[in-house]
Amino acid sequence: MATIQLKGVSKTFQISRQRRVLALSAMDLAVEEGEFVALLGPSGCGKSTILHLVAGLDQPSTGLVLVGGLPPRELQSRHELGIAFQEHALLPWRTIVGNLELPFQIAGRTPDRERIASLIDLVGLKGFESARPSQLSGGMRQRTSIARALCLSPKLLLLDEPFGALDAVTRRSMNLELQRIWQQNRITTILVTHTVEEAIFLADRVLVMSGRPGRVIRELHVPFPRPRTVDITRLELFHRLVDELTLSLEPLTLSLDPTESLHET
Amino acid sequence: MKLDDETTTLRRIVYRVCGFLVLLALWQIAGKSGAGGKTLPALTDVLRVYTISGRRALLVRAALATSSSAGLGLLLGAVLGCATALIAQLLPLLSRGLNRLAVVVNAVPAIALGPILIVTAGREATPVLLAAIPVYFLLYVAASSGLRSTDSRLEQLFQASGADRWKRFIYLDSVSALPALLSGLKLAVSTAIIGAVVGEWFGAPTGLGIVILNTMQNFQIPLMWATLLVVAAISLSAYALIGLAERAVQRRLV
């Protein structure tokens, strides 16, 4: 049985008294254990909504969300969920080490010094242990938040456009970093992104979504074996897949007319 | 708050000192020439009071009494105000009622409570309580808004990480509330000192309020002004101290 299951999930947001927006409609999704799935789509296509539902930060309007056969809230209270947002969401008053101690403290455990040290090493932040987030670059902050997400060896890793706020060069090197980190851990992962290359490079499976109501319009099983290195981004097949998915994303720009995509009730 | 660079900070300090000196000079002139009437002595006459050792001892004793009343009142009001804000935060059902309570407490003129407090709480406790009441209101408001100021992304992170209310409070909300809390405390300090002085007027055994009252009745004008200056100095230095703490916290929370 799949680790993550969405069955007939829809989500409606109340915009104002008369207006409601259907963000997701009759969504089915299954993610296997140890699988890396990328949700790819333009902003407003409901991909972040899916992530929030799986994280238990939002409740579906209809349908069922299960993680390991249990409601997401259960995973929260077991502290088995690692999450990283587009904005780093680090505690500004704590050092890097202090921020990595946080998941342990929330879970009521003693911070594991060795684990924290090895994670800092893993994300390449050695020597910055006692720096505070405001002293770090955007890329370094995101490394910290990914390290923090990994602290308690989560069953599930949720990445909500974690590199969305970074410049292209930093983003590329962060993709390489994440590839390396993930290959050492192989945690079930959902990555939300709007960058095609990022999705194909990192994921086992890419789901292309269209907006309002959000639904999957294309599924791609990425054919590249692991471990993957930067070399695959130079393959012709890689570029062909990027072009294909980019094309499948493109018609969406035509359907972004608000009168058409808003479902009023 | 944006931190200015060093030169503008320096310039600001110079301006402030100059303005202050001009004010003092005007005081001196008005006092010496008699333009301010009999009740406005020259600044030098007021300052001379501090050189008389008996007077100095009196003022130090009174200042200690008033400071400790104000300090106790500040502590009491702040603890109760924060505790009320916390209860309102944890039990949203009560928050409306607690809001009203705080408004009512604030609406009652403290000075009218004086005689009642003298009868019920006693002469020594009255300055403390009159200091505590306005502090309670200010800190309740400050802590309430501080507890609501938590970054929503951090809230999501804590929720996804499975933080219970208590963990969320100690690791997130309490720290996020600090800047608002310190702003409230900065305002509360002077009201606490006013409360303590007014509280003493109702018959406390000692304190700056008592000295002011006695000097007024005995027409000891320079001593009265000297006492007022002590009250102002206590108030200003407490304000400055909390201002420093506030700035240090803000720098940490960027």
Side-chain angles (χ1 to χ4, degrees), chain A residues 12-74:
Chain A
T12 319
F13 288 106
Q14 192 91 35
I15 300 294
S16 63
R17 214 180 300 166
Q18 290 99 23
R19 262 191 163 185
R20 288 199 285 166
V21 171
L22 189 60
L24 280 179
S25 168
M27 177 86 189
D28 292 307
L29 175 70
V31 179
E32 300 298 325
E33 172 130 33
E35 193 182 16
F36 193 131
V37 170
L39 298 176
L40 178 68
S43 48
C45 74
K47 55 193 196 304
S48 285
T49 306
I50 295 180
L51 206 81
H52 280 207
L53 292 172
V54 173
L57 294 172
D58 251 327
Q59 302 304 312
S61 305
T62 63
L64 195 63
V65 180
L66 290 176
V67 182
L70 296 164
R73 286 275 160 94
E74 189 63 27

Side-chain angles (χ1 to χ4, degrees), chain A residues 215-254:
Chain A
R215 65 208 145 83
V216 176
I217 53 167
R218 170 119 205 241
E219 185 177 15
L220 171 78
H221 288 269
V222 180
F224 305 111
R226 293 187 194 270
R228 294 176 193 164
T229 62
V230 71
D231 295 333
I232 68 157
T233 63
R234 295 186 194 108
L235 297 176
E236 205 216 311
L237 178 59
F238 184 87
H239 288 284
R240 210 169 63 225
L241 290 173
V242 169
D243 289 346
E244 257 182 64
L245 290 195
T246 308
L247 259 176
S248 67
L249 275 171
E250 235 150 52
L252 293 173
T253 52
L254 303 172

Side-chain angles (χ1 to χ4, degrees), chain A residues 37-230:
Chain A
V37 170
L39 298 176
L40 178 68
S43 48
C45 74
K47 55 193 196 304
S48 285
T49 306
I50 295 180
L51 206 81
H52 280 207
L53 292 172
V54 173
L57 294 172
D58 251 327
Q59 302 304 312
S61 305
T62 63
L64 195 63
V65 180
L66 290 176
V67 182
L70 296 164
R73 286 275 160 94
E74 189 63 27
L75 203 72
Q76 283 181 0
S77 46
R78 291 183 185 183
H79 316 290
E80 288 179 342
L81 184 68
I83 193 162
F85 300 99
Q86 175 171 4
E87 300 288 337
H88 54 83
L90 299 171
L91 297 182
W93 55 86
R94 287 196 179 201
T95 62
I96 298 314
V97 169
N99 269 290
L100 295 188
E101 284 171 351
L102 183 69
F104 293 97
Q105 290 168 327
I106 287 177
R109 300 173 204 166
T110 339
D112 183 340
R113 307 240 149 245
E114 269 176 47
R115 170 93 183 137
I116 290 171
S118 76
L119 280 170
I120 285 177
D121 201 22
L122 180 73
V123 299
L125 281 176
K126 219 169 188 170
F128 293 93
E129 288 85 349
S130 50
R132 291 201 290 118
S134 59
Q135 298 166 316
L136 299 180
S137 69
M140 289 161 113
R141 287 180 208 160
Q142 282 306 6
R143 287 163 202 248
T144 312
S145 57
I146 287 170
R148 180 180 60 191
L150 293 171
C151 266
L152 300 180
S153 309
K155 289 258 163 67
L156 176 61
L157 185 62
L158 301 176
L159 305 171
D160 191 0
E161 297 188 35
F163 312 130
L166 303 180
D167 62 89
V169 178
T170 314
R171 186 179 189 120
R172 211 176 139 78
S173 74
M174 289 302 293
N175 284 340
L176 291 174
E177 292 277 317
L178 183 60
Q179 182 75 270
R180 183 176 60 78
I181 292 165
W182 192 81
Q183 277 163 182
Q184 289 183 34
N185 291 275
R186 303 252 173 165
I187 304 162
T188 313
T189 301
I190 300 181
L191 168 76
V192 161
T193 181
H194 51 241
T195 312
V196 180
E197 291 87 344
E198 184 170 288
I200 296 178
F201 180 61
L202 290 168
D204 298 313
R205 188 150 57 100
V206 180
L207 300 173
V208 183
M209 293 186 64
S210 86
R212 295 185 191 161
R215 65 208 145 83
V216 176
I217 53 167
R218 170 119 205 241
E219 185 177 15
L220 171 78
H221 288 269
V222 180
F224 305 111
R226 293 187 194 270
R228 294 176 193 164
T229 62
V230 71

Side-chain angles (χ1 to χ4, degrees), chain B residues 108-134 195 198-199 202:
Chain B
V108 175
I111 211 159
L113 286 176
I116 300 169
L117 290 177
I118 289 286
V119 178
T120 53
R123 284 149 40 110
E124 306 213 2
T126 298
V128 176
L129 292 175
L130 279 188
I133 289 166
V198 170
F202 292 102

Side-chain angles (χ1 to χ4, degrees), chain B residues 96 113 195 197:
Chain B
R96 186 172 286 197
L113 286 176
V197 169

